[in-house]
Coordinates of all heavy atoms in Angstrom, one line a residue:
V989 N 0.9 -1.2 0.0 CA 0.0 0.0 0.0 C 0.9 1.2 0.0 O 2.0 1.3 0.6 CB -1.0 0.0 1.2 CG1 -1.9 -1.2 1.2 CG2 -0.2 0.1 2.5
V990 N 0.4 2.3 -0.7 CA 1.1 3.5 -0.8 C 0.2 4.7 -0.5 O -0.9 4.7 -1.0 CB 1.7 3.7 -2.2 CG1 2.6 4.9 -2.3 CG2 2.4 2.5 -2.7
G991 N 0.6 5.6 0.4 CA -0.2 6.7 0.7 C 0.4 7.7 1.6 O 1.6 7.5 2.1
D992 N -0.3 8.7 1.9 CA 0.1 9.8 2.8 C -1.1 10.3 3.6 O -2.0 11.0 3.0 CB 0.8 10.9 2.0 CG 1.3 12.1 2.9 OD1 1.2 12.0 4.2 OD2 1.7 13.1 2.4
A993 N -1.2 10.0 4.9 CA -2.3 10.4 5.7 C -2.5 11.9 5.7 O -3.6 12.4 5.9 CB -2.2 9.9 7.1
N994 N -1.4 12.6 5.5 CA -1.6 14.1 5.5 C -2.0 14.7 4.2 O -2.0 15.9 4.0 CB -0.2 14.7 5.9 CG 0.0 14.5 7.4 OD1 -0.7 15.1 8.3 ND2 1.0 13.7 7.8
Q995 N -2.4 13.8 3.2 CA -3.1 14.2 2.0 C -4.5 13.7 2.0 O -5.1 13.6 0.9 CB -2.3 13.8 0.8 CG -0.9 14.5 0.7 CD -0.3 14.3 -0.7 OE1 -0.8 14.7 -1.7 NE2 0.8 13.6 -0.7
T996 N -5.1 13.3 3.1 CA -6.5 12.9 3.2 C -7.4 14.1 3.1 O -7.5 14.8 4.1 CB -6.7 12.1 4.5 OG1 -5.8 11.0 4.6 CG2 -8.1 11.6 4.6
I997 N -8.1 14.2 2.0 CA -8.9 15.4 1.8 C -10.3 15.0 1.3 O -11.1 15.8 0.9 CB -8.3 16.4 0.8 CG1 -8.1 15.7 -0.6 CG2 -7.0 17.0 1.4 CD1 -7.6 16.7 -1.7
Y998 N -10.6 13.7 1.4 CA -11.9 13.2 0.9 C -12.7 12.5 2.0 O -13.5 11.6 1.7 CB -11.7 12.3 -0.3 CG -11.1 12.9 -1.5 CD1 -9.8 12.6 -1.9 CD2 -11.8 13.9 -2.3 CE1 -9.3 13.3 -3.0 CE2 -11.3 14.5 -3.4 CZ -10.0 14.2 -3.7 OH -9.4 14.8 -4.8
S999 N -12.6 12.9 3.2 CA -13.3 12.3 4.3 C -14.8 12.5 4.1 O -15.6 11.6 4.4 CB -12.9 12.9 5.6 OG -11.6 12.6 5.9
F1000 N -15.2 13.6 3.5 CA -16.6 13.9 3.2 C -17.3 12.8 2.3 O -18.5 12.6 2.3 CB -16.8 15.3 2.7 CG -16.2 15.4 1.3 CD1 -17.0 15.2 0.1 CD2 -14.9 15.9 1.2 CE1 -16.4 15.3 -1.1 CE2 -14.4 16.1 -0.1 CZ -15.1 15.8 -1.2
A1001 N -16.4 12.1 1.5 CA -16.9 11.1 0.6 C -16.7 9.7 1.1 O -17.0 8.7 0.4 CB -16.2 11.3 -0.8
G1002 N -16.3 9.6 2.4 CA -16.1 8.3 3.0 C -14.7 7.8 3.2 O -14.5 6.7 3.8
A1003 N -13.7 8.5 2.6 CA -12.3 8.1 2.8 C -11.9 8.0 4.2 O -12.3 8.9 5.0 CB -11.4 9.0 2.0
Q1004 N -11.1 7.0 4.6 CA -10.7 6.9 6.0 C -9.2 6.6 6.0 O -8.8 5.5 5.5 CB -11.5 5.8 6.7 CG -12.9 6.1 6.9 CD -13.6 5.2 7.8 OE1 -13.0 4.3 8.5 NE2 -15.0 5.3 7.9
A1005 N -8.4 7.5 6.6 CA -7.0 7.3 6.6 C -6.6 6.2 7.7 O -5.4 5.8 7.7 CB -6.3 8.6 6.9
N1006 N -7.5 5.8 8.5 CA -7.2 4.8 9.6 C -6.7 3.5 9.0 O -5.8 2.8 9.7 CB -8.4 4.5 10.4 CG -8.8 5.7 11.3 OD1 -7.9 6.6 11.6 ND2 -10.0 5.7 11.8
Y1007 N -7.1 3.1 7.8 CA -6.6 1.9 7.2 C -5.1 2.0 7.0 O -4.3 1.0 7.2 CB -7.3 1.5 6.0 CG -8.8 1.4 6.2 CD1 -9.8 2.2 5.5 CD2 -9.3 0.4 7.0 CE1 -11.1 2.0 5.7 CE2 -10.7 0.2 7.3 CZ -11.6 1.0 6.6 OH -12.9 0.9 6.8
L1008 N -4.6 3.1 6.5 CA -3.2 3.4 6.3 C -2.5 3.5 7.7 O -1.4 2.8 7.9 CB -3.0 4.6 5.5 CG -1.5 5.1 5.3 CD1 -0.8 4.0 4.5 CD2 -1.5 6.4 4.6
L1009 N -3.1 4.2 8.6 CA -2.5 4.4 9.9 C -2.4 3.1 10.7 O -1.4 2.9 11.5 CB -3.2 5.4 10.7 CG -3.3 6.9 10.1 CD1 -4.3 7.7 10.9 CD2 -1.9 7.5 10.1
D1010 N -3.3 2.2 10.5 CA -3.4 0.9 11.3 C -2.7 -0.2 10.5 O -2.8 -1.4 11.0 CB -4.8 0.6 11.6 CG -5.5 1.5 12.6 OD1 -4.7 2.2 13.3 OD2 -6.7 1.6 12.5
F1011 N -2.1 0.0 9.4 CA -1.5 -1.1 8.6 C -0.5 -1.9 9.4 O -0.6 -3.1 9.3 CB -0.9 -0.5 7.3 CG -0.5 -1.6 6.3 CD1 -1.5 -2.0 5.4 CD2 0.8 -2.1 6.2 CE1 -1.2 -3.0 4.5 CE2 1.1 -3.0 5.3 CZ 0.1 -3.5 4.4
S1012 N 0.4 -1.2 10.1 CA 1.4 -2.0 10.8 C 0.8 -2.8 12.0 O 1.4 -3.8 12.5 CB 2.5 -1.0 11.4 OG 3.2 -0.4 10.3
R1013 N -0.4 -2.3 12.5 CA -1.0 -3.1 13.6 C -1.7 -4.4 13.0 O -1.6 -5.4 13.6 CB -2.1 -2.2 14.2 CG -1.6 -1.0 15.0 CD -2.7 -0.3 15.7 NE -2.2 0.9 16.3 CZ -3.0 1.8 17.0 NH1 -4.3 1.6 17.0 NH2 -2.4 2.9 17.5
R1014 N -2.2 -4.2 11.8 CA -2.8 -5.4 11.2 C -1.8 -6.4 10.7 O -2.0 -7.6 10.8 CB -3.7 -5.0 10.0 CG -4.4 -6.1 9.3 CD -5.3 -5.7 8.2 NE -5.9 -6.8 7.6 CZ -6.7 -6.8 6.5 NH1 -7.1 -5.6 6.0 NH2 -7.2 -7.8 6.0
F1015 N -0.7 -5.8 10.2 CA 0.4 -6.7 9.7 C 1.7 -6.3 10.5 O 2.5 -5.5 10.0 CB 0.6 -6.5 8.2 CG -0.6 -6.8 7.3 CD1 -1.3 -5.7 6.8 CD2 -0.9 -8.1 7.1 CE1 -2.4 -6.0 6.0 CE2 -2.0 -8.4 6.3 CZ -2.8 -7.3 5.7
P1016 N 1.9 -6.9 11.6 CA 3.0 -6.5 12.5 C 4.4 -6.7 11.8 O 5.4 -6.0 12.2 CB 2.9 -7.5 13.7 CG 1.4 -7.8 13.7 CD 1.0 -7.9 12.3

């Protein structure tokens, strides 16, 4: 996965940066 949580600008449309932020928790 590739991304930047500090470029999350579509929350109003349902985007959730938590999946990126939690990636290391899901895949230790």
Side-chain angles (χ1 to χ4, degrees):
V989 300
V990 186
D992 179 4
N994 287 291
Q995 293 190 66
T996 304
I997 60 172
Y998 295 110
S999 296
F1000 65 90
Q1004 293 190 9
N1006 287 343
Y1007 300 120
L1008 176 64
L1009 297 171
D1010 291 337
F1011 190 83
S1012 295
R1013 295 182 183 179
R1014 179 176 179 182
F1015 301 104

